[in-house]
Amino acid sequence: MTLADQHQIIVNAFKNARYGISPTATRGAVESHARKQGLEGKSYTDALESAMAAGLVAQMSDSSITIRNAGRALLPRR
């Protein structure tokens, strides 16, 4: 799995089929979504750190993550 694929999995955790793109998500929800897609453990941690460094997502508090404009650009429009 490439780094771009891993970033896409993390960013897709913010997408909801019914309500569109959520501005925030809990760290647990992002991790749960990533685990369902086969991204877990050290590779999940590295992918999340990489996504934060790339400006796709940012940490709001200890338990929540917000999506940045660069991350929104990776998601399809409604």
Side-chain angles (χ1 to χ4, degrees):
M1 189 179 309
T2 67
L3 191 58
D5 294 337
Q6 294 174 351
H7 286 173
Q8 189 67 47
I9 289 170
I10 289 173
V11 170
N12 281 342
F14 292 88
K15 187 171 186 301
N16 183 307
R18 185 172 185 179
Y19 301 111
I21 301 170
S22 174
T24 62
T26 62
R27 200 175 266 275
V30 173
E31 185 174 3
S32 176
H33 176 79
R35 190 176 303 123
K36 289 176 186 174
Q37 302 298 319
L39 181 64
E40 56 187 332
K42 179 85 168 123
S43 59
Y44 163 74
T45 306
D46 292 342
L48 184 60
E49 289 176 5
S50 174
M52 286 182 181
L56 300 177
V57 296
Q59 184 171 342
M60 281 184 49
S61 65
D62 288 342
S63 64
S64 65
I65 300 170
T66 184
I67 190 166
R68 309 281 307 257
N69 286 337
R72 282 182 197 270
L74 293 177
L75 292 173
R77 301 281 182 236
R78 272 191 153 206

